[in-house]
Amino acid sequence: MVRFLVPLLLSLAALVPSPALAERVRDLGEFQGVRANQLTGYGIVVGLAGTGDDNLEYLTQAMRGTAGRLGVQLPAGISPGLKNAAAVLVTAELPAFAKPGQRIDITVSTIGKAKSLRGGALVMMPLYGADGQIYAMAQGNLAVGGLGITARDGSQLTVNVPTVGRIAEGASVERAVATGFDSGEVLRWNLFEADFLTAQRVRDAINGQFPQSATIEDGVTLALRLPAGADARATTMAAIEMLDITPAETPARVIINSRTGTVVINSAVRLSPAAISHGRLVVKIDEKPQVSQPNAFSRGQTAITPSSDINVEEKEAKVAMFKPGASLSSLVDALNKLGTSPSDLVAILEALKQAGALKAEMVVI
């Protein structure tokens, strides 16, 4: 009896559906307003070994301003040769809740004719936000991963990109950005990708933990009514972010990169009944001109007689048949048997879409 019961139990276990993959709420979206902000600024890098901008006007003006702040007045009408300095743009990202005194990383990039920033130091400069206010001050020695060398004969050698450098913790935060997460009556949470079913499941999971606290505003946004006060609200937000839900299945898409020939098909793609025939016709034309030489001491001229050899080769065409509801694995197996190249695969997918057999959105990037 036992030997019959064990196979039966194994068969029943195989029929039980496997649990869907759950994801945390924090991986599906983010709270509105709790985000990083971009900073940018204009500055000067000095100390270069003759690889700077030389005599560019905007660098000269910037250097005059820098020298003036230090009490050095350059004579009027004189343009200093600044081969050891370069005008740069500095970019950084201000994290959410960053407070004055904290340090952030910055990226320094040349905007002129400077050949390399290796060995340079950034002079103190402000970093501005989109509102025109100063949020950080930057200064420090650059770390450059590239190398550029120019010889007297004009030959050059460049390794990586020497015109971009980075300063770890090169800026100090001077102003905090208010997020309003602890004072607003309603805090909104946004999905990374719009989906009504996923938004509904997130709402149900939140209301299961905190009854009547979440409502759906649209396919992206949920309005959360959380307790007032920074401590209580942060505790609730942390608990919400760690909730596990099963997101809705992604829409059926076929992604085609027209430049590299890469084709990506997700698992939601389905096919209606269809047949695919794939074959190639190869035409080869081989030109073998014949040269005719005149006899010695004759007044004839050398003549070229054209001769062409044309061969036509048609490879055996194969037909693949798809049953209703064929999945991604069936499509891939059939196309592999047909021996399709990436360009042929794109043509087949487009033809299936036009025939109405491919149930997916085609996105060309």
Side-chain angles (χ1 to χ4, degrees):
M1 181 66 180
V2 175
R3 64 177 181 176
F4 294 106
L5 182 59
V6 172
L8 178 60
L9 293 176
L10 293 176
S11 300
L12 292 176
L15 295 177
V16 176
S18 58
L21 182 63
E23 296 187 27
R24 298 175 301 178
V25 170
R26 69 184 307 172
D27 298 326
L28 298 174
E30 61 185 1
F31 290 98
Q32 183 173 307
V34 183
R35 63 178 182 86
N37 291 273
Q38 289 71 39
L39 304 178
T40 186
Y42 172 84
I44 298 175
V45 171
V46 297
L48 304 177
T51 58
D53 281 331
D54 197 5
N55 211 10
L56 296 180
E57 182 63 26
Y58 54 82
L59 174 61
T60 301
Q61 293 179 3
M63 183 57 73
R64 288 181 182 275
T66 301
R69 291 198 302 269
L70 299 176
V72 179
Q73 298 296 329
L74 298 179
I78 295 180
S79 296
L82 301 174
K83 290 186 178 181
N84 294 343
V88 295
L89 279 179
V90 180
T91 57
E93 193 169 84
L94 184 66
F97 306 116
K99 297 299 187 293
Q102 291 183 326
R103 312 287 299 186
I104 58 176
D105 299 341
I106 60 175
T107 301
V108 183
S109 308
T110 62
I111 59 176
K113 299 187 297 183
K115 299 178 178 62
S116 176
L117 293 178
R118 179 175 288 272
L122 179 68
V123 179
M124 184 178 64
M125 50 150 298
L127 292 176
Y128 298 89
D131 57 357
Q133 300 295 321
I134 297 176
Y135 285 90
M137 296 296 295
Q139 181 173 285
N141 298 320
L142 275 75
V144 180
L147 174 65
I149 301 175
T150 303
R152 291 184 177 180
D153 61 355
S155 58
Q156 297 180 352
L157 173 63
T158 302
V159 180
N160 296 331
V161 183
T163 54
V164 177
R166 189 170 177 83
I167 305 178
E169 298 184 349
S172 60
V173 178
E174 302 296 330
R175 182 196 299 262
V177 178
T179 60
F181 91 99
D182 58 341
S183 58
E185 180 181 355
V186 176
L187 184 65
R188 288 173 172 80
W189 181 86
N190 299 323
L191 280 168
F192 292 136
E193 293 186 6
D195 191 287
F196 287 104
L197 181 56
T198 301
Q200 174 188 332
R201 292 178 178 177
V202 173
R203 179 204 61 190
D204 295 341
I206 295 175
N207 287 336
Q209 188 78 14
F210 306 97
Q212 300 181 349
S213 61
T215 56
I216 296 176
E217 291 190 346
D218 52 41
V220 172
T221 304
L222 273 71
L224 308 177
R225 290 172 176 80
L226 304 181
D231 184 72
R233 182 160 290 190
T235 302
T236 306
M237 291 169 63
I240 290 176
E241 286 188 328
M242 298 308 295
L243 292 175
D244 289 332
I245 70 160
T246 302
E249 186 180 16
T250 58
R253 286 195 183 98
V254 177
I255 311 299
I256 300 173
N257 191 319
S258 58
R259 294 176 292 276
T260 63
T262 303
V263 180
V264 178
I265 307 172
N266 70 7
S267 59
V269 173
R270 294 292 183 271
L271 292 173
S272 298
I276 300 175
S277 176
H278 176 70
R280 295 179 180 178
L281 181 66
V282 180
V283 179
K284 297 181 179 179
I285 302 177
D286 189 10
E287 297 287 350
K288 298 180 180 179
Q290 303 293 329
V291 180
S292 177
Q293 295 284 356
N295 294 328
F297 303 108
S298 67
R299 296 183 178 180
Q301 297 180 352
T302 301
I304 298 177
T305 303
S307 176
S308 301
D309 185 13
I310 302 177
N311 293 321
V312 179
E313 177 185 356
E314 184 174 8
K315 294 185 178 181
E316 180 182 359
K318 300 179 181 179
V319 179
M321 181 66 186
F322 294 100
K323 297 180 180 180
S327 61
L328 171 63
S329 59
S330 302
L331 174 62
V332 173
D333 292 341
L335 295 178
N336 285 336
K337 291 179 181 179
L338 294 177
T340 57
S341 64
S343 58
D344 295 331
L345 177 58
V346 173
I348 291 174
L349 293 175
E350 289 179 344
L352 286 172
K353 180 69 174 179
Q354 292 297 321
L358 180 64
K359 307 302 182 182
E361 176 189 2
M362 297 193 67
V363 180
V364 179
I365 59 176

